[in-house]
Amino acid sequence: LSVAGPSLARIELAEALDELPELAKQVLLLRYHVGLSVAEIAEILGRSYKATESLLSRVRSQFQHAFVGAEA
């Protein structure tokens, strides 16, 4: 049985992303969709490498909690 449109997993991912603040969404998309390095993201955001690395770590945790919540 084939269902047209986005898969359930994609819908859940989109819902989890929607729960995040705008900066968090941008950081995740730049890192995992566009494929930029932490250094490249830091340059775009005007932050230090360490600050961006820390931000990315927090954002991944926020996304994980939002995604797990969307699955429940």
Side-chain angles (χ1 to χ4, degrees), residues 1-71:
L1 175 37
S2 177
V3 178
S7 70
L8 183 57
R10 283 183 180 241
I11 292 169
E12 290 172 344
L13 283 170
E15 288 173 352
L17 275 174
D18 283 344
E19 291 184 28
L20 298 176
E22 194 60 35
L23 178 61
K25 283 188 248 187
Q26 290 174 357
V27 169
L28 284 177
L29 291 173
L30 288 171
R31 182 70 177 119
Y32 298 106
H33 184 68
V34 179
L36 297 182
S37 69
V38 175
E40 291 168 321
I41 297 168
E43 186 175 333
I44 289 169
L45 297 178
R47 295 174 178 239
S48 71
Y49 180 90
K50 282 290 194 185
T52 304
E53 192 174 49
S54 177
L55 174 63
L56 184 57
S57 177
R58 287 192 312 274
V59 166
R60 278 193 296 253
S61 180
Q62 288 174 343
F63 179 74
Q64 182 178 12
H65 286 100
F67 186 67
V68 170
E71 287 184 330

